Amino acid sequence: MTARGVAILGSTGSIGTTALRVLERQRERFHVTALTAFSNAALLAEQAARFAPRYVGLVQNGVGEHPGWGKGTGCLIDAAVLDEADIVLNAVVGAAGLDATLAALERGKRVALANKESLVMGGSLVIDAARRGGGELVPVDSEHSAILQCIAGRPSTEVRRLVVTASGGPFRRWSRAQLENATLADALQHPTWRMGRKITVDSATLANKALEVIEAHFLFGLPYDRIEVVVHPQSVVHSFVEFVDGSVLAQLGVPSMELPVLYALTYPDRVTDTGVPPFDPVELSPLTFEKVRVQEFPALELGIQAGRAGGSAPAVFNAANEQAVAYFLGGAIRFGEIPRAIESALGRLGNAPSGTRDAILAADASARRHVQELFRC
Ligand code: NAD
Ligand code: MG
């Protein structure tokens, strides 16, 4: 068996380091061909020494520090299009991942997609790039991995409905008044997952679930009225698929991203692995489900409406959210201002053109500018 080459974009992050743990155990099947990171040169150097990839890239690579490494934003593309890379794991956070997703798909690669933002903002552009180049999008997001595992090759005409689960985040029971002034420390206390800071805040506002509904729409080709969200605080049922005959399948497992990362690499096959702790239904019980409190978490509906509106609206939603979350992480705005910033940007900019990469990036830039002006930061 020849080992398949894997390029990891964002190798120093939460998903990137999780993926390297998986790949360490799967050295016979996969070899790491490229690693990229934003600024953590020390960790990247350690990873490079351990996995000996052909290509290493650091976006903020100081001149002369690592002369053999690629630098600047172009290093993501360099890594994504390497001949030796059969699979590109895009684990970059945010809109910065778009060009690498497009480039890898155009080159006919499998993209193991953690970077949901690129699919949300690029939507049909990303799907078209895959079609044109013969590339393949396989989700890493646990909910979408669950859906893929349940659908198992059945056509979308046999699917009645997707029910995407949401943990509800740290503020599941908080009132609107409490949410308004929730602190950064509160928002970073996710009850079931340890993740990067941006997605952790997105999970607290439920903007993450809106991104995931849009992601599901593009991945599985279903209209928005056939994608629902239910709160499931234990994060054990990773999503449900209801079929046209009324039968419902779900995929379960303890909350660990190692399984969806591995599955995105081996799909549609399954391989022996020991990353996920044994499943004990008694230990994990009870499993409970609740309605989403949509009034308290307006970012969810705003994102789904942006998805329904189509065009550049999902890119505006995504960029306004990214800018507002960056401000919240920096202490410049309150938690309650995040959905208000998104609503304001969508109200002003929802209908910009979206047919090309440049149009999408222009919508992204306008939304960021709108939020900057809103808070005059
Ligand atoms: P993280 O912040 O821990 O890691 C992000 C990685 O991207 C780092 O390696 C960083 O160096 C790199 N990066 C950041 N900004 C960059 C830029 N401008 N250009 C190039 N590289 C950059 O984030 P994470 O939690 O690993 O999430 C990564 C992606 O995976 C996000 O899109 C997130 O929504 C998605 N995701 C994460 C989880 C999880 O459990 N962490 C689960 C599902 C989906
Ligand atoms: Mg998810």
Side-chain angles (χ1 to χ4, degrees):
M1 176 171 54
T2 47
R4 305 190 77 199
V6 183
I8 304 183
L9 315 183
S11 65
T12 54
S14 165
I15 291 288
T17 52
T18 298
L20 288 174
R21 276 201 304 279
V22 171
L23 289 165
E24 188 106 68
R25 298 193 296 269
Q26 296 289 343
R27 281 186 185 261
E28 284 180 13
R29 288 191 174 83
F30 302 102
H31 66 105
V32 175
T33 57
L35 295 171
T36 78
F38 186 68
S39 59
N40 189 345
L43 179 54
L44 186 63
E46 207 180 297
Q47 294 175 338
R50 197 146 43 94
F51 290 93
R54 197 168 110 52
Y55 182 89
V56 182
L58 184 65
V59 173
Q60 295 200 332
N61 189 4
V63 180
E65 268 193 70
H66 295 278
W69 291 4
K71 65 177 174 185
T73 50
C75 73
L76 299 181
I77 311 288
D78 295 343
V81 302
L82 272 186
D83 283 344
E84 296 88 337
D86 302 298
I87 303 174
V88 176
L89 171 62
N90 190 344
V92 168
V93 60
L98 176 65
D99 282 343
T101 295
L102 291 172
L105 291 172
E106 268 157 18
R107 284 289 180 111
K109 314 271 188 199
R110 167 175 295 192
V111 174
L113 188 73
N115 179 251
K116 63 191 90 180
E117 295 92 341
S118 56
L119 182 55
V120 167
M121 67 191 291
S124 37
L125 275 185
V126 172
I127 302 297
D128 285 351
R131 204 167 294 146
R132 249 197 337 272
E136 180 188 25
L137 265 179
V138 184
V140 166
D141 225 341
S142 57
E143 297 78 1
H144 306 74
S145 177
I147 292 165
L148 184 68
Q149 293 179 57
C150 294
I151 288 183
R154 304 309 304 167
S156 62
T157 48
E158 288 185 8
V159 174
R160 183 183 287 162
R161 200 163 59 109
L162 307 179
V163 182
V164 179
T165 54
S167 71
F171 304 141
R172 185 165 59 90
R173 295 184 185 280
W174 287 37
S175 69
R176 213 165 173 163
Q178 287 175 302
L179 282 166
E180 186 56 39
N181 292 309
T183 66
L184 178 57
D186 294 329
L188 292 179
Q189 290 299 318
H190 196 278
T192 49
W193 299 98
R194 292 286 153 263
M195 311 178 285
R197 285 154 64 93
K198 189 259 179 183
I199 185 178
T200 303
V201 174
D202 287 353
S203 302
T205 59
L206 296 199
N208 181 53
K209 219 38 66 174
L211 295 172
E212 291 186 355
V213 168
I214 301 170
E215 183 186 7
H217 164 79
F218 284 113
L219 282 173
F220 303 109
L222 288 178
Y224 287 96
D225 56 9
R226 284 160 61 194
I227 308 173
E228 290 173 25
V229 176
V230 68
V231 171
H232 168 48
Q234 297 83 17
S235 302
V236 170
V237 176
H238 297 309
S239 280
F240 299 95
V241 178
E242 184 180 64
F243 291 88
V244 286
D245 59 1
S247 185
V248 180
L249 296 187
Q251 186 266 337
L252 285 72
V254 295
S256 159
M257 289 307 293
E258 294 197 17
L259 180 61
V261 165
L262 176 64
Y263 189 70
L265 301 176
T266 65
Y267 166 83
D269 299 333
R270 293 185 183 276
V271 302
T272 303
D273 192 64
T274 52
V276 178
F279 181 69
D280 180 345
V282 175
E283 181 73 22
L284 294 168
S285 67
L287 300 182
T288 59
F289 301 92
E290 303 166 10
K291 279 201 165 82
V292 184
R293 296 188 305 142
V294 284
Q295 299 297 325
E296 283 80 2
F297 297 97
L300 176 61
E301 266 313 301
L302 286 167
I304 294 173
Q305 279 167 21
R308 286 181 192 273
S312 64
V316 169
F317 170 78
N318 179 64
N321 178 57
E322 275 189 45
Q323 184 64 76
V325 170
Y327 284 157
F328 176 68
L329 287 171
I333 67 170
R334 291 197 310 275
F335 187 78
E337 283 168 325
I338 300 173
R340 282 201 289 282
I342 297 170
E343 185 167 21
S344 170
L346 281 170
R348 184 70 68 84
L349 304 162
N351 302 318
S354 65
T356 63
R357 167 194 172 273
D358 290 352
I360 290 289
L361 290 182
D364 175 284
S366 308
R368 284 170 205 265
R369 236 176 359 255
H370 180 84
V371 175
Q372 285 155 14
E373 283 161 13
L374 203 60
F375 300 112
R376 301 197 193 292
C377 286

